[in-house]
Structures are given as structure tokens and as C-alpha cells.
Amino acid sequence: GGEIFNHLAKGFSNGVVMFVSKMLGFLVVYNFKASIDVFGEWAVYGFFAMICFFGIVFSYFFLPETKGLTLQQIERSLQDGWFQQHRTKLVTSRGMEAGLGAC
């Protein structure tokens, strides 16, 4: 990941992200056979598919579009409370008073 981090912290944060990514990948590979034996193929692949599905839904609704923006524009939009603005727009567009808007 680089473009979501402040350009001053990019080197350190990239190292942390890569370390965590490799460790989680190792855990998945290391435990895959045991998971298949305990839960069965359908449950394990279904679990991975469910994680992917929720990741897609989360990305669509909660991550800002950064196509065509510079790093500084992205940083500014995140500092200006992009999430608060997006959450308000999401709640009012659905006509909901509680739920996500109550966070």
C-alpha cells in the first residue's frame, strides 16, 4: 500500500504492511491443510469467498475513489473528514436515521 500513507511515513508503513501481509499469508498456508481436514473443503473455500465478498462491499461503500488524484489531494481529502462526509451522504441517500448514521 503506498498511496494512502503520508509521503513522509511511506517507507516505514510499507515495511509494516508487507510484514503483516507476509505473516498472514504464512498463517493461511500453514493452517490450510488442517482447516480442510477439520472443516471440509466447502467450509474453508466458502469462508475465503465470504471474506472476499465483504472486502468488496467494504471497498465499494467506505473507501474513497482516488483515480486521477495526486497524493497530496488524497491526503487533504482524508484530513478534511472524507469519511464523515461520505457517511452522512450514504445515510441520507438511503433515508436512514439510525444504524450507520448513529456511529
Side-chain angles (χ1 to χ4, degrees), residues 6 8 28 33 85 91:
N6 181 314
L8 300 175
V28 167
K33 177 71 172 128
Q85 295 169 8
V91 170

Side-chain angles (χ1 to χ4, degrees), residues 11-96:
F12 177 76
S13 59
N14 278 343
V16 170
V17 167
M18 288 306 299
F19 176 77
V20 170
S21 173
K22 297 298 180 183
M23 288 298 104
L24 290 176
F26 170 78
L27 289 175
V28 167
V29 171
Y30 184 77
N31 291 311
F32 183 74
K33 177 71 172 128
S35 298
I36 294 279
D37 293 341
V38 171
F39 301 110
E41 284 185 24
W42 282 98
V44 173
Y45 286 119
F47 177 72
F48 289 137
M50 192 171 57
I51 289 174
C52 290
F53 174 76
F54 286 123
I56 290 169
V57 170
F58 175 83
S59 297
Y60 181 79
F61 286 109
F62 295 105
L63 297 180
E65 177 59 59
T66 59
K67 182 178 180 181
L69 298 177
T70 66
L71 179 58
Q72 287 74 22
Q73 290 171 322
I74 295 168
E75 288 175 357
R76 195 173 318 113
S77 71
L78 293 173
Q79 289 172 350
D80 291 342
W82 173 90
F83 180 74
Q84 295 298 331
Q85 295 169 8
H86 180 70
R87 184 175 73 177
T88 303
K89 183 171 51 173
L90 182 67
V91 170
T92 56
S93 69
R94 293 191 178 155
M96 299 177 354

